[in-house]
Amino acid sequence: MIKEYKTIQEVSGPLMLIKKVEGVKYDELGEIELPDGSLRRCRVLEIDEDNVLVQLFESSAGINLADSKVRFLGHGVQLGVSKDMLGRVFSGMGEVIDGGPRIIPDKMLDINGTPINPAARNYPSEFIQTGVSTIDGLNTLVRGQKLPIFSGSGLPHANLAAQIARQAKVRGTNTNFAVVFAAIGITFEEADFFISDFKKTGAIDRTVMFINLASDAAIERISTPRMALTAAEYLAFEQNMHVLVILTDITNYAEALREISAARKEVPGRRGYPGYLYTDLATMYERAGRKLDCEGSITMIPILTMPEDDKTHPIPDLTGYITEGQIILSRDLYRKGILPPVDVLPSLSRLKDKGIGEGKTREDHAGTMNQLFSSYSRGKEAKELMVVLGEAALTPLDRLYAKFADEFEKQYVNQGFTENRTIEQTLDLGWSLLKILPRAEMKRIKPAILDKYWPKEN
Amino acid sequence: MVQGKIVKVSGPLVVASGMRNANMYDVVHVGKDQLVGEIIEMRGDRASIQVYEETAGIGYGDEVVSTGEPLSVELGPGLITNMYDGIQRPLQVMYEKYGTNITRGISEPSLSRTDKWKFSPKASVGDKVEPGDILGVVQETELVEQKIMVPNGVYGEVTSISEGEFTVTDVVASIKKEDGTTVEVQLMQKWPVRKARPYKAKVAPHEPLITGQRVIDAMFPIAKGGTACVPGPFGSGKTVVQHQLAKWSDVDIVVYIGCGERGNEMTDVLREFPELKDPKSGYSLMKRTVLIANTSDMPVAAREASIYTGITIAEYFRDMGYSVAVIADSSSRWAEALREMSGRLEEMPGEEGYPAYLTSRLAQFYERAGDVICNGKDGRRGTLSAVGAVSPQGGDISEPVSQATLRIVKVFWGLDSSLAYRRHFPAINWLTSYSLYKDRLSLWFEENVSRDWNSVTGEAMRLLSVENELDEIVKLVGVDALSPNERLTLEAARSIREDFLQQNAFEEGDMYTPLDKQFGLLKLILSFYTKSLDAIKKGADIEKIADLPVRERIGRAKAALDDVYKKEYSEIESQLDEELSDLVKEGGDN
């Protein structure tokens, strides 16, 4: 029999202290029954003899110390999963909110998951064509990668994420593909943008959505991404689907975590975020990947808005240390009208080297990629110098580099949110831009490749 | 056996009462799943325990049993090529037995109890032995001969020793101690991870650790037995530098510790190393490597232990007289684990929430490196070099972990994100990095590579620092304000940066450069500088020197394969002479 306790001692912020409980376990899920019969949920954060400290998942409004009852359910927070989840919309706590019937679960899974044994991981190496040149050509995404978008308020990260979700495909395959979308504390309008974009393209039937809006309880946000990832793990590793997970916005998640940490009076790390923010984020991000003996994969695109566009803020900083690269959006490019405004130089995909080259994309990919990076970087330096000293102060070569940088932004980076370029188009465009520069400058490209794609003029 | 009851659970920290008779740092089993934990604090009969596994499902009143032993690792044949978690559980075995994810309460012996190893005795009955003396050897892999040593504290006479195939727990020899008792020696021994293994004496490091990485060997070398750190913001290539060191360092054993980093990185090492060949022996690099993987999603307390597990294994091989490199990625995650436990213990925090003992713990770790005379009568030498990555928040090395590390280590390879954006890899900043071993190792380089080694590398460094000063001027007034000689300095420095310091870790011919090729390449670039300087004096035009066709060939010289590079370099040298003398003629005509 499940015991009920009427011994709530304290409610403060998202935390509640209950006295004289028996047999309660760490991380166990609890239910609070309010005097009016409504139910709230909570999770055990700390046990001190027969006192337990719990964290509420919903608001504490209406909890009455004298008459509310608490039960502990003997398990952690779980999500009932099934293939029928595709095409459905759930709340941030995993309840159906699209008005449809309840899901009959195939399985109940703990939302915290378990770490993947590194010996059982399969190294991601399958090229995903997103149709975006700055990603495919320069920061290649592969199946099983976690590649966040670092954005700022007012930048079109949602458009870029939707474009990737719409266009992403592994060439030469036509496999089970699904999208799991978690809205973490974003506005209705932003969530609606994604939903209508998915509807327009028909992707909605292959999408599972978990929606926690800005108006919902902040504390729920702790669970929302974990719910989404649990669903994704089920689809990927038990149903062998290739799942693209979009989490937006991680900044809201981290703030909810900070709220709990502050309520517990923990020693804060930088900017008030708890010292375990890195570990906490890692337990989510690391759930992406591929496993041996398993077809499916989880590719993750977390989106976060950098406060004040500051890359060294703890949230982007710690994310960058865990994820396998980052796509950074630039306000300067956005002002110039270049879309998507991907800031090429600080963006990075760590897994690109295994996903490109002959048999995957094209033999000239690695060389041209490095050449474009270093040429663009030199071009930007030349342009900076030009601002200070005027064009006349540049050497003829640096003038060419400056021109290259301009054309690169106009043609390569700028493609809008609807153009879908194949990798060949992207690579050919790269060559045509490099030809602005003298052939002798192509130090990053192997001579054999250079001779093939840019024959010497005799 | 001490038994207690849990009174408090807070994340990875559990407090149990009734533990008065337990020892500090004893390993305990917690709850019905028998989770592994370690006592880190005692107050009255209450013990604070850090638990190395996820604590969900533990509650008030659950049982805690002490094993009476400190956290130890098993040392013996079977270590090499294995991948362990932070408390030395074999991950490959766990995958085969328990599936792709790590569940709780798994207990597996670190070394296989069924594998048999061929033991060849080197001692005979009647020999007087002392700790560290070699009783016999086991050929563990093609690259590693494991030496079975007399355990610590055992002095006496060998009374029996047998040859043949044994498991790690079989008795291979007996030693009668001076007090009359007999010690049975197995292939395996245990050692507590928090205690450094003993040696006879430490000596100052004197020999370089050759890494095949040009910027490291030529500019900022590390000694065998030395310590180094690689701080850098994310995306600056820390992990690639670490992987390069693990791959190409000329040591006998590599212990690679992935501490709180990405799972895919460990998988990469696990999949890639077996395919790479050791440049000297031609065998797979995995056959000299031990991996410790505590990825960022694994429990945080085991991350704290992983560093000690790794260095203890390294010390064991050092004691056999080998040169060992420990590569830890990243010590910042280890420090964060320390901070998290310290916070849960409600200790008074130091800087940025890190515990006040952060520096001393880091120093203890790095101090376990060194060049030593090992235990044993033969006086063999072993070295243990330690290289730690540091991941400073926001790339700002004024934070406590970087600063504490810099006070201890002798070599600093500072990674720079602006270099990484330009795809200048390895992104080691040549202006801020340093090596305190450079003077001590200069003699070795002069004797073993070339008498000019120090003057050539010194000249290259000089050009790079002059370039830095000239750059300031160019930014203010433009390149036209420079004299032809200064223009040439800029060109030469650019060539050093692009054609020497940049090294592609993924390109054959470039990923590993032997010392004599490094020297040849740098000399070639410098001879472009000196010869051009001469040509300018004789009237050649700097613009034309900058555009010489030979420069493209110099740019490709680093990728010349090891067997042909000498011929290639001398051809480039003569092409350079020809082109410059043409320019001088041209300049003289005008």
Side-chain angles (χ1 to χ4, degrees), chain A residues 127 129-133 136-137 169 171 415 419-429:
Chain A
F127 167 65
Q129 181 179 300
T130 63
V132 181
S133 290
D136 292 352
K169 65 169 181 181
R171 304 217 303 174
Q415 67 173 92
E419 191 180 340
N420 188 357
R421 291 180 186 160
T422 66
I423 182 67
E424 285 79 12
Q425 283 172 331
T426 294
L427 291 173
D428 292 344
L429 181 60

Side-chain angles (χ1 to χ4, degrees), chain A residues 86-87 165-166 175-180 201-208 235 241:
Chain A
L86 289 169
R166 193 167 58 231
T175 38
N176 269 334
F177 182 70
V179 176
V180 172
T201 55
I204 193 91
D205 296 336
R206 295 180 286 124
T207 304
V208 188
L235 294 173
M241 300 181 86

Side-chain angles (χ1 to χ4, degrees), chain A residues 26 47 49 114-115 117 121 270 278 291 293 311 317 321-324 350 354 373 377 389 444-445, chain B residues 7-9 46 57-58 91 95 100-102 235 260 262 264 268 271 392-394 421-423 502:
Chain A
Y26 179 70
I47 300 172
E49 305 201 1
T114 46
N117 187 332
R121 277 184 190 266
R270 259 201 325 160
Y278 176 85
K291 293 194 209 171
D293 353 304
K311 198 162 65 96
D317 189 52
Y321 276 122
I322 308 163
T323 53
E324 282 136 357
R350 290 165 191 272
K354 300 265 159 75
F373 267 123
S377 149
L389 301 166
R444 305 290 182 110
I445 303 175
Chain B
V7 291
K8 186 175 168 184
V9 187
R46 289 192 167 197
I58 300 285
L91 288 167
Y95 162 50
T100 55
N101 288 44
I102 300 171
R262 303 175 185 90
N264 276 329
D268 187 25
R271 307 270 178 267
Q393 291 198 336
Y421 295 166
R422 277 188 261 159
R423 298 308 188 257
Q502 283 183 15

Side-chain angles (χ1 to χ4, degrees), chain B residues 188-203:
Chain B
M188 178 187 93
Q189 50 174 293
K190 281 191 165 194
W191 191 267
V193 296
R194 295 188 193 275
K195 193 171 152 197
R197 284 176 61 88
Y199 47 81
K200 276 208 175 119
K202 218 171 213 179
V203 291

Side-chain angles (χ1 to χ4, degrees), chain B residues 489-550:
Chain B
T489 306
L490 284 187
E491 290 296 330
R494 179 155 88 97
S495 186
I496 295 171
R497 281 191 282 116
E498 294 181 358
D499 308 333
F500 184 78
L501 296 182
Q502 283 183 15
Q503 191 167 2
N504 188 336
F506 303 99
E507 191 174 318
E508 202 195 347
D510 197 19
M511 51 175 76
Y512 173 84
T513 313
L515 284 183
D516 50 348
K517 186 176 155 191
Q518 292 187 20
F519 180 70
L521 182 58
L522 197 53
K523 226 176 134 187
L524 183 67
I525 295 169
L526 289 178
S527 89
F528 162 76
Y529 173 68
T530 45
K531 286 178 178 167
S532 302
L533 208 56
D534 193 43
I536 289 174
K537 211 183 280 170
K538 291 181 184 152
D541 180 18
I542 175 67
E543 294 289 346
K544 287 183 177 152
I545 290 177
D547 288 340
L548 284 181
V550 73

Side-chain angles (χ1 to χ4, degrees), chain B residues 20 49 57 67 98 118 150 212 234 237 269 326 329 427 441 443-444 452 475 484 515 550 567:
Chain B
R20 182 171 286 278
I49 297 158
T67 59
Y98 304 95
K118 189 172 179 306
V150 175
F234 64 85
V269 174
V326 168
D329 186 11
L441 297 175
L443 192 65
W444 189 96
D452 296 333
K475 273 187 196 138
L515 284 183
V550 73
K567 192 166 149 278

Side-chain angles (χ1 to χ4, degrees), chain A residues 3 5 18-30 43-54 70-74, chain B residues 6 9 57-62:
Chain A
K3 279 192 182 161
Y5 303 99
I18 308 156
K19 292 211 142 179
K20 298 206 177 92
V21 296
E22 272 174 33
V24 175
K25 308 292 183 195
Y26 179 70
D27 213 25
E28 193 173 339
L29 181 67
R43 179 177 76 111
V44 177
L45 275 189
E46 195 173 301
I47 300 172
D48 196 352
E49 305 201 1
D50 58 359
N51 304 325
V52 292
L53 183 73
V54 299
V70 186
R71 298 185 276 276
F72 291 93
L73 306 178
Chain B
I6 291 178
V9 187
I58 300 285
Y60 173 49
D62 287 0

